[in-house]
Amino acid sequence: MIPHSDSVPDDSPQTTPVPSESLGLVLQRGGEELALLKVRDRFTLCPQNQIPVEQLEQVFSVQYQRQIPHTQLAEFTVDVEQRDEAMQAARDREDVVFASHVYQLKDNPATLIYLGDQLTIQFHPDTDEATISALQTEFGLKSVRSLVGIPNTFVFQLTPNSPENPLKIANRLIRLPEVLTAEPDIIVPKQPSYHPQDPLYPQQWYLNHSGGSTLAPGSHIDVEKAWDITRGNRSIVVAIADDAIDVNHPDFQGTGKIVAPKDFKDKDFIPLPSGSDESHGTACAGIAVAEENGQGIVGVAPGCALMPIRTSGFLDDTSIEELFNWAIENDASVISCSWGAATVYFPLSLRQRAALTRAATEGRGGKGCVIVFAAGNANRPINGTIFERGWTSELLRGPTNWLSGFAVHPDVIAVSACTSLSKKAAYSNWGTNVSVCAPSNNAPPGMWFEKTGFIGTAPQVNAPTPGNGVFTTDLLGAAGYEIGDFVGSFGGTSSACPVVAGVAALILSANPDLTAKQVKRILQDTADKIVDRDADPQLGMRLGTYDTNGYSQWFGYGKVNAFKAVQAAQQQRVQTAKVAQILKRRNDQNLAIPDDNPRGVTSTIQITESAPVQNIQVTVDIEHEFLGDLEVQLKSPNGQTALLQSRTLGINTQLQYTYSIDNTPALKSLLNQDSVGSWQLRVIDYVPMDTGRLKSWELVIGI
């Protein structure tokens, strides 16, 4: 034994030593002492090396139960009368680091507690290295690492030379004046993520699954962990604009569930289908917001409200204006649109573009409605040219321009589809305007034309298209896709779209202060980068990987992840609350941007207040003949530069945009700097010929 100081330092905690008879029944945890009970019929071993389970069972007359996940601990059950004898026999073996009881908290006996093989020890600041080393030797401990952020604190690991289990060692150490804290590492099972009791929920693989023959790991949207944060709020309303919605379905019942129903086809307020061919909207609504009610299925955002809208069935200007105006006037938060024009090339009219822009900017009290559109199912670019051949009756031939006007609108979230195997769905449209993808079924590509009905796009896909269908709500009874109240074979980007709409609703439930643009950015920034290196079975393209900006033409910024998205939304709400004062400065000096000049043009804003930057946003107004030539940077007073805009704006000519922490992660590098000094906006034109001007910019800093 080493000598210990007789006097207790003045600033060390005054603790009452644990009585010797209780050394194995008291847990040091967070400055508290928790009373434990020993479980009578089991114990754990921590072997030094791998020992065959059969050998241990035979030697100790015990029954192996399991390996405690992520540890070296093996759990055994034993007759109550034989437990102590078996544990002592285990402790006598040289290849066993320690044998330990399994415990329960005295006041909470429902949870089992296991002892790991590590200890965390915080020493008094005056304790020298020699004393620490001597204690380490006395208790047979091996140093693992220091604990970052807490001085004189170290993690140690037990060895075969340790005289007792970590619980007892911690209680002996806490008696010493050199030791401020000594905590054993305990293993307690994590509370499982929320799991609905609705009986058909296990068939909704796209929400969560644990694997299977046609289920790739992680091919779901990880919604159960998102539900631990929120399952949706009735104040968040999801508008499903579609052919019709069977509002009598049990999964759409509940207090406040249905909000502002509208039928633009029959011009009333009952958007029910008039025939079995109007099943589409009911299926989409179930995916997004089916109520958690102990029956049927569960939507992505079951706690949110449903605004069922039966469209006119046509895409004239008046129909589009009426639809989006209704959503705005009745406080829709999210608008889900699993449809597009029945034509190859469909640019939006001025009125249609304005209707979408108004919803995305003026809806939801000025924060904007989140608008989600399906990319389409023809396996074609939503904006691009394909050399077509082999179509039925030569319907399409030669270089053909494709355009889905709704999906390419800048205020829209365009959604492509991936499969249960984390591959591109064979039918899914793609291109540089796709925001994210979401899980759906797999099938050959096709398209509906008024003259032909639904036909497969050419050339014909003969390769297998493996993947699970989407399970969702159907028209009640014999009507609809299948007999019964549910369908298990739904799919297309039509089902991927309401998945994303549901996640957007969860995001707003966690943080209703977010703008529509911020929601879009969160969805993109938190998406999972699934990769598909296979060639497309129809066109032979390989677009399933990502460029240097993290973008894929097949998957956008990746597969939507509900948990990461909701978590990010929640964190942004916390960050915003820290701001105590807003500093707003503007520079209206109109400056020419030098053509093809890496020095660019610099405009300065001076901040005289000195405080740590807690939030920051930059609004720019730039006019240029080809914005794709430009790069925009912000330089802080301490010389650090954040890239606001890379050369991704293409042929656009007007840039009026606000860059914030929410939509531009590079700005986070400027947080916590001193606000005082010269802030510089730099605009660089890297390509000759096209020219433009920096008309003005504004800097808003939260301190």
Side-chain angles (χ1 to χ4, degrees), residues 293-352:
N293 53 14
Q295 56 182 314
I297 67 164
V298 180
V300 175
C304 292
L306 167 64
M307 182 185 293
I309 301 176
R310 189 188 191 198
T311 66
S312 69
F314 294 93
L315 302 181
D316 57 283
D317 290 355
T318 299
S319 291
I320 296 302
E321 286 175 335
E322 288 179 343
L323 190 161
F324 284 95
N325 286 344
W326 179 266
I328 295 170
E329 292 163 5
N330 291 279
D331 297 323
S333 307
V334 182
I335 307 171
S336 182
C337 306
S338 291
W339 41 265
T343 182
V344 169
Y345 195 85
F346 188 78
L348 298 188
S349 70
L350 181 64
R351 287 170 61 185
Q352 290 173 339

Side-chain angles (χ1 to χ4, degrees), residues 415-430:
V415 182
S416 63
C418 55
T419 71
S420 63
L421 295 171
S422 288
K423 298 285 188 179
K424 175 187 178 291
Y427 54 75
S428 181
N429 283 0
W430 42 271

Side-chain angles (χ1 to χ4, degrees), residues 44 64 66-75 102 114 187:
T44 60
Y64 175 77
R66 61 168 179 159
Q67 184 87 17
I68 305 299
H70 310 297
T71 75
Q72 297 297 315
L73 297 178
E75 182 180 17
V102 177
Y114 301 90
I187 298 119

